[in-house]
């Protein structure tokens, strides 16, 4: 079982509340899309296409969903508009499964990262632009790991902003885990090296490395990621075990563009999509996961420690489109 299996029983009330703005927006648009129609026909499908695109699902993913529904309609000969929600849930859940989100059945919960038995610590390199909630996500992950009895180290490798180091140190104090840092302007790769060296020497189970909030169009800053990874391998050949990209769900298609640019320059193994509780653009989760073929591991639904939840495709889709 994945290490975070104990966190996989999500608070459904929190999930429903967090997606309320998106859900309301989608349902209002769907109601207009099927108004006066008893069966799913070409007009309904055209309207549904507009609903999904305007909900930040993205054009390519929307066309894929529409094609799947067209095939269902063609096969079943008659599909009522009352069945549309159920069909949407089924097809989008299947799409998310194909994108690497690993629950095998409707009742399965997604699992977090599998901690290896052949080496430790488990190293997560966290990337993303400024303002997406990257450092906050690290703090919440550290809290969840510690709650499960794991020894955690944090590395403050965002040395370009004093505020970033200070923020991570505040999270370290709040959670009760050590933070390895250097002076402002230090080499981020050096901080990563020191963090892994200290964590390894002290028997840590998990290391979370914060990186500078790199703009996705700054190639020089992106190249820094490669340097950090190369230096970490001198301490632990397996490092990093994960590269977690944090995205702000409230930015909609801009989040997808950031994800695409990051994926073009470094291997992204998992996603955390934050701030979904304050936006009607939750559909972006579907498009990003589908287009990148990278699993969404966590979604942020509020300020509380427990509001960073493991992503479960079926629960997400049920909350978005109704039970």
């Amino acid at each position: 079982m994945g290490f975070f299996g104990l966190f996989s029983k999500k608070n459904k009330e929190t999930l429903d509340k967090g997606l309320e703005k998106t859900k309301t927006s989608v349902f209002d648009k769907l109601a207009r899309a099927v108004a006066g129609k008893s069966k799913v026909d070409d007009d309904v499908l055209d309207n549904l296409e507009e609903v999904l695109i305007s909900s930040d699902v993205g054009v390519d993913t929307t066309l894929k969903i529409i094609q799947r529904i067209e095939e269902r309609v063609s096969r079943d000969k008659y599909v009522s508009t009352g069945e549309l929600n159920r069909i949407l849930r089924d097809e989008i859940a299947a799409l998310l499964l194909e994108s690497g989100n690993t629950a095998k059945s409707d009742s399965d919960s997604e699992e977090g990262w599998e901690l290896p038995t052949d080496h430790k610590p488990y190293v997560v390199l966290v990337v993303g632009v400024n303002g997406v909630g990257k450092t906050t996500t690290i703090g919440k992950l550290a809290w969840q790991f510690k709650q499960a009895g794991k020894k955690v180290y944090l590395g403050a490798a965002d040395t370009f902003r004093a505020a970033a180091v200070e923020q991570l140190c505040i999270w370290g104090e709040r959670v009760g885990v050590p933070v390895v840092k250097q002076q402002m302007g230090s080499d981020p790769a050096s901080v990563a090296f020191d963090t892994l060296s200290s964590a390894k020497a002290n028997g840590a189970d998990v290391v979370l490395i914060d990186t500078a909030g790199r703009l996705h169009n700054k190639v020089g800053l992106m190249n820094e990621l490669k340097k950090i990874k190369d230096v970490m391998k001198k301490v632990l050949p397996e490092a990093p075990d994960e590269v977690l990209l944090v995205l702000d769900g409230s930015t909609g298609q801009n989040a997808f563009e950031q994800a695409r640019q990051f994926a073009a320059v470094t291997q992204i193994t998992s996603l955390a999509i934050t701030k979904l509780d304050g936006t009607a653009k939750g559909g972006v989760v579907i498009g990003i996961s589908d287009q990148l073929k990278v699993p969404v591991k966590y979604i942020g639904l509020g300020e509380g420690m427990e509001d960073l939840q493991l992503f479960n495709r079926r629960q997400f889709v049920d909350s978005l489109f109704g039970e």
Side-chain angles (χ1 to χ4, degrees):
M1 172 177 285
F3 166 68
F4 270 159
L6 71 151
F7 292 103
S8 59
K9 291 185 178 179
K10 300 179 184 69
N11 186 323
K12 189 174 184 304
E13 183 179 335
T14 299
L15 183 63
D16 288 344
K17 183 179 179 181
L19 295 177
E20 186 62 37
K21 290 185 178 180
T22 297
K23 180 178 179 179
T24 300
S25 175
V26 168
F27 265 105
D28 287 348
K29 292 172 182 175
L30 276 177
R32 291 193 292 270
V34 302
K37 297 283 187 175
S38 61
K39 72 174 184 175
V40 176
D41 56 17
D42 288 343
D43 287 341
V44 169
L45 290 173
D46 287 343
N47 292 337
L48 178 60
E49 184 176 320
E50 291 183 18
V51 169
L52 294 174
I53 290 174
S54 64
S55 300
D56 285 271
V57 172
V59 174
D60 291 340
T61 302
T62 291
L63 293 178
K64 192 180 296 187
I65 293 169
I66 295 298
Q67 181 181 359
R68 288 173 175 235
I69 294 177
E70 284 177 335
E71 291 170 356
R72 290 275 291 266
V73 171
S74 176
R75 183 178 68 245
D76 299 343
K77 303 305 180 185
Y78 180 89
V79 175
S80 71
T81 53
E83 296 176 275
L84 193 55
N85 274 1
R86 177 182 58 80
I87 294 172
L88 268 175
R89 291 202 312 270
D90 291 345
E91 295 301 336
I92 292 175
L95 201 65
L96 288 170
L97 180 59
E98 294 164 14
S99 301
N101 297 289
T102 55
K104 298 300 188 294
S105 73
D106 294 346
S107 61
D108 284 345
S109 294
E110 299 295 340
E111 295 181 350
W113 295 306
E114 189 86 27
L115 294 191
T117 57
D118 59 342
H119 73 274
K120 71 176 190 177
Y122 188 80
V123 181
V124 182
L125 185 66
V126 187
V127 302
V129 302
N130 287 332
V132 296
K134 178 164 51 69
T135 306
T136 298
T137 297
I138 291 172
K140 291 178 179 179
L141 284 173
W143 177 79
Q144 292 190 0
F145 274 118
K146 188 175 181 186
Q147 288 294 108
K150 301 300 179 181
K151 190 173 184 179
V152 185
Y153 269 62
L154 304 181
D158 183 355
T159 60
F160 296 107
R161 294 188 308 123
V165 176
E166 180 181 356
Q167 184 184 10
L168 193 67
C169 288
I170 290 172
W171 272 106
E173 291 177 5
R174 184 181 301 171
V175 176
V177 300
V179 179
V180 177
K181 61 179 181 177
Q182 292 184 7
Q183 291 183 341
M184 175 75 175
S186 298
D187 181 2
S190 176
V191 176
F193 182 89
D194 286 353
T195 304
L196 262 63
S197 298
S198 181
K200 184 178 180 181
N202 288 282
D205 298 297
V206 181
V207 173
L208 303 169
I209 303 287
D210 192 11
T211 61
R214 303 167 202 284
L215 296 172
H216 56 279
N217 58 353
K218 300 294 185 181
V219 177
L221 290 176
M222 287 297 196
N223 288 338
E224 186 66 37
L225 290 175
K226 182 178 184 303
K227 182 180 178 182
I228 290 174
K229 289 161 76 173
D230 289 344
V231 167
M232 288 197 297
K233 289 183 185 300
K234 295 179 179 179
V235 183
L236 290 170
E238 302 86 359
D241 295 277
E242 293 282 345
V243 179
L244 174 68
L245 174 61
V246 182
L247 299 166
D248 179 350
S250 69
T251 62
Q253 288 303 296
N254 187 48
F256 172 73
E257 179 60 20
Q258 289 176 18
R260 190 180 67 82
Q261 294 287 350
F262 268 100
V265 298
T266 191
Q267 183 182 12
I268 305 298
T269 61
S270 53
L271 303 171
I273 302 181
T274 65
K275 306 182 184 181
L276 290 174
D277 56 311
T279 182
K281 298 180 178 182
V284 73
V285 173
I286 301 165
I288 289 175
S289 182
D290 171 57
Q291 293 299 305
L292 264 66
K293 294 297 184 284
V294 174
V296 177
K297 282 292 184 184
Y298 296 94
I299 52 176
L301 298 165
E303 297 298 321
M305 296 280 200
E306 69 285 352
D307 291 334
L308 181 69
Q309 295 189 358
L310 277 169
F311 179 72
N312 178 285
R313 64 184 181 96
R314 174 56 68 175
Q315 290 181 7
F316 178 84
V317 174
D318 281 348
S319 287
L320 201 58
F321 293 98
E323 291 290 342

